[in-house]
Amino acid sequence: SREFRRPDAGSHTVEGNVSGARAMQLEKQRQAQQEQFEAEKQKRQGAASNSVLGIKSKFQTARIGTQQEQDFRAKTVGLVSASDFVAAAEQSKDKSYKDDQQNEEAKRKLEEQAKIQAKKEKKKKKEKRK
Protein backbone atom coordinates (compact mmCIF):
# COMPACT_ATOMS: atom_id res chain seq x y z
CA SER A 1 0.00 0.00 0.00
CA ARG A 2 1.10 3.53 -0.64
CA GLU A 3 2.17 5.58 2.32
CA PHE A 4 1.79 9.33 2.44
CA ARG A 5 4.21 10.78 4.95
CA ARG A 6 5.67 14.21 4.98
CA PRO A 7 8.98 14.78 6.71
CA ASP A 8 8.95 16.48 10.08
CA ALA A 9 9.15 20.29 9.62
CA GLY A 10 11.13 20.72 12.79
CA SER A 11 9.01 23.60 14.02
CA HIS A 12 8.63 21.98 17.45
CA THR A 13 11.64 21.93 19.68
CA VAL A 14 12.14 21.55 23.38
CA GLU A 15 12.05 25.32 23.78
CA GLY A 16 8.82 25.75 21.75
CA ASN A 17 8.22 27.39 18.40
CA VAL A 18 11.61 28.23 16.98
CA SER A 19 10.62 28.49 13.34
CA GLY A 20 7.89 31.07 13.76
CA ALA A 21 4.15 31.35 13.32
CA ARG A 22 4.18 30.78 9.54
CA ALA A 23 6.01 27.46 9.93
CA MET A 24 3.49 26.35 12.57
CA GLN A 25 0.60 27.30 10.29
CA LEU A 26 2.08 25.30 7.41
CA GLU A 27 2.70 22.32 9.68
CA LYS A 28 -0.95 22.36 10.78
CA GLN A 29 -2.02 22.43 7.12
CA ARG A 30 0.24 19.47 6.38
CA GLN A 31 -1.18 17.57 9.35
CA ALA A 32 -4.73 18.27 8.14
CA GLN A 33 -3.79 17.06 4.65
CA GLN A 34 -2.28 13.90 6.17
CA GLU A 35 -5.47 13.18 8.11
CA GLN A 36 -7.63 13.87 5.05
CA PHE A 37 -5.49 11.50 2.97
CA GLU A 38 -5.75 8.73 5.59
CA ALA A 39 -9.53 9.15 5.84
CA GLU A 40 -9.91 8.96 2.04
CA LYS A 41 -7.62 5.93 1.94
CA GLN A 42 -9.72 4.09 4.54
CA LYS A 43 -12.92 5.01 2.70
CA ARG A 44 -11.62 3.64 -0.61
CA GLN A 45 -10.31 0.46 0.97
CA GLY A 46 -13.71 -0.16 2.54
CA ALA A 47 -15.50 0.43 -0.74
CA ALA A 48 -13.07 -1.78 -2.64
CA SER A 49 -13.41 -4.66 -0.19
CA ASN A 50 -17.21 -4.59 -0.48
CA SER A 51 -17.23 -4.58 -4.27
CA VAL A 52 -14.89 -7.52 -4.81
CA LEU A 53 -16.80 -10.41 -6.36
CA GLY A 54 -15.72 -14.01 -6.30
CA ILE A 55 -15.51 -16.11 -9.43
CA LYS A 56 -18.61 -18.08 -8.42
CA SER A 57 -20.73 -14.95 -8.30
CA LYS A 58 -19.67 -13.98 -11.82
CA PHE A 59 -20.64 -17.28 -13.43
CA GLN A 60 -23.58 -19.53 -12.73
CA THR A 61 -23.97 -23.11 -13.74
CA ALA A 62 -26.77 -23.72 -16.18
CA ARG A 63 -29.70 -25.38 -14.44
CA ILE A 64 -31.78 -26.95 -17.13
CA GLY A 65 -34.78 -28.93 -16.03
CA THR A 66 -35.57 -30.55 -12.73
CA GLN A 67 -33.25 -32.52 -10.51
CA GLN A 68 -34.68 -35.75 -11.94
CA GLU A 69 -33.84 -34.64 -15.47
CA GLN A 70 -30.32 -33.73 -14.43
CA ASP A 71 -29.87 -37.13 -12.77
CA PHE A 72 -31.15 -38.85 -15.90
CA ARG A 73 -28.71 -36.92 -18.07
CA ALA A 74 -25.85 -37.84 -15.77
CA LYS A 75 -26.81 -41.53 -15.96
CA THR A 76 -27.14 -41.61 -19.74
CA VAL A 77 -23.83 -39.94 -20.59
CA GLY A 78 -21.73 -42.37 -22.60
CA LEU A 79 -24.48 -44.89 -23.42
CA VAL A 80 -23.81 -46.51 -26.77
CA SER A 81 -26.93 -48.41 -27.70
CA ALA A 82 -30.51 -47.22 -27.94
CA SER A 83 -31.69 -50.13 -25.82
CA ASP A 84 -29.49 -48.98 -22.92
CA PHE A 85 -30.97 -45.51 -23.24
CA VAL A 86 -34.54 -46.82 -23.33
CA ALA A 87 -33.89 -48.99 -20.26
CA ALA A 88 -32.46 -46.01 -18.37
CA ALA A 89 -35.46 -43.88 -19.39
CA GLU A 90 -37.93 -46.51 -18.16
CA GLN A 91 -36.04 -46.87 -14.90
CA SER A 92 -36.09 -43.11 -14.45
CA LYS A 93 -39.83 -42.93 -15.17
CA ASP A 94 -40.55 -45.75 -12.73
CA LYS A 95 -38.49 -44.06 -10.07
CA SER A 96 -40.21 -40.70 -10.60
CA TYR A 97 -43.62 -42.43 -10.57
CA LYS A 98 -42.78 -44.14 -7.27
CA ASP A 99 -41.49 -40.87 -5.85
CA ASP A 100 -44.72 -39.12 -6.84
CA GLN A 101 -46.79 -41.86 -5.20
CA GLN A 102 -44.75 -41.64 -2.02
CA ASN A 103 -45.15 -37.86 -1.96
CA GLU A 104 -48.92 -38.18 -2.39
CA GLU A 105 -49.12 -40.75 0.40
CA ALA A 106 -47.11 -38.51 2.70
CA LYS A 107 -49.42 -35.60 1.91
CA ARG A 108 -52.49 -37.71 2.68
CA LYS A 109 -51.03 -38.82 5.99
CA LEU A 110 -50.24 -35.25 6.97
CA GLU A 111 -53.75 -34.14 6.05
CA GLU A 112 -55.25 -36.97 8.12
CA GLN A 113 -53.07 -36.05 11.08
CA ALA A 114 -54.12 -32.42 10.75
CA LYS A 115 -57.81 -33.44 10.71
CA ILE A 116 -57.35 -35.61 13.80
CA GLN A 117 -55.55 -32.79 15.58
CA ALA A 118 -58.33 -30.35 14.66
CA LYS A 119 -60.97 -32.74 16.07
CA LYS A 120 -59.02 -33.07 19.32
CA GLU A 121 -58.81 -29.30 19.65
CA LYS A 122 -62.55 -28.94 19.07
CA LYS A 123 -63.24 -31.50 21.79
CA LYS A 124 -60.95 -29.63 24.20
CA LYS A 125 -62.74 -26.35 23.47
CA LYS A 126 -66.14 -27.95 24.07
CA GLU A 127 -64.96 -29.42 27.37
CA LYS A 128 -63.64 -26.04 28.50
CA ARG A 129 -66.97 -24.39 27.73
CA LYS A 130 -68.80 -26.85 29.98
Side-chain angles (χ1 to χ4, degrees):
S1 74
R2 293 174 61 176
E3 292 295 322
F4 177 71
R5 297 277 178 226
R6 292 185 184 244
D8 187 26
S11 58
H12 289 295
T13 61
V14 177
E15 294 83 21
N17 292 346
V18 175
S19 301
R22 175 93 174 122
M24 281 304 296
Q25 183 182 10
L26 292 173
E27 188 173 345
K28 286 181 182 178
Q29 285 179 353
R30 288 186 188 119
Q31 185 64 27
Q33 288 173 350
Q34 178 75 30
E35 290 171 1
Q36 182 182 3
F37 174 80
E38 291 297 327
E40 185 70 24
K41 181 178 168 183
Q42 292 295 326
K43 179 180 160 187
R44 288 184 183 193
Q45 284 179 346
S49 67
N50 291 339
S51 66
V52 175
L53 298 176
I55 192 73
K56 290 184 179 181
S57 64
K58 292 180 182 178
F59 300 100
Q60 293 181 346
T61 57
R63 291 209 51 154
I64 301 171
T66 63
Q67 185 64 35
Q68 293 173 346
E69 290 173 353
Q70 291 176 4
D71 292 341
F72 177 71
R73 287 183 183 153
K75 288 179 185 177
T76 56
V77 170
L79 293 180
V80 179
S81 66
S83 60
D84 292 341
F85 184 82
V86 170
E90 288 176 3
Q91 186 181 19
S92 177
K93 285 181 184 178
D94 290 340
K95 183 180 177 187
S96 65
Y97 180 72
K98 288 178 184 177
D99 290 344
D100 289 342
Q101 284 181 341
Q102 289 175 352
N103 289 340
E104 288 177 14
E105 289 176 19
K107 285 180 185 178
R108 281 189 226 128
K109 287 180 182 178
L110 288 174
E111 288 173 357
E112 289 174 10
Q113 289 175 353
K115 288 179 183 178
I116 292 171
Q117 187 68 25
K119 288 180 182 178
K120 288 180 181 179
E121 290 177 6
K122 285 182 181 179
K123 286 181 182 179
K124 287 182 182 178
K125 287 182 181 178
K126 285 182 181 178
E127 291 175 3
K128 287 182 181 180
R129 290 179 187 170
K130 292 180 181 181

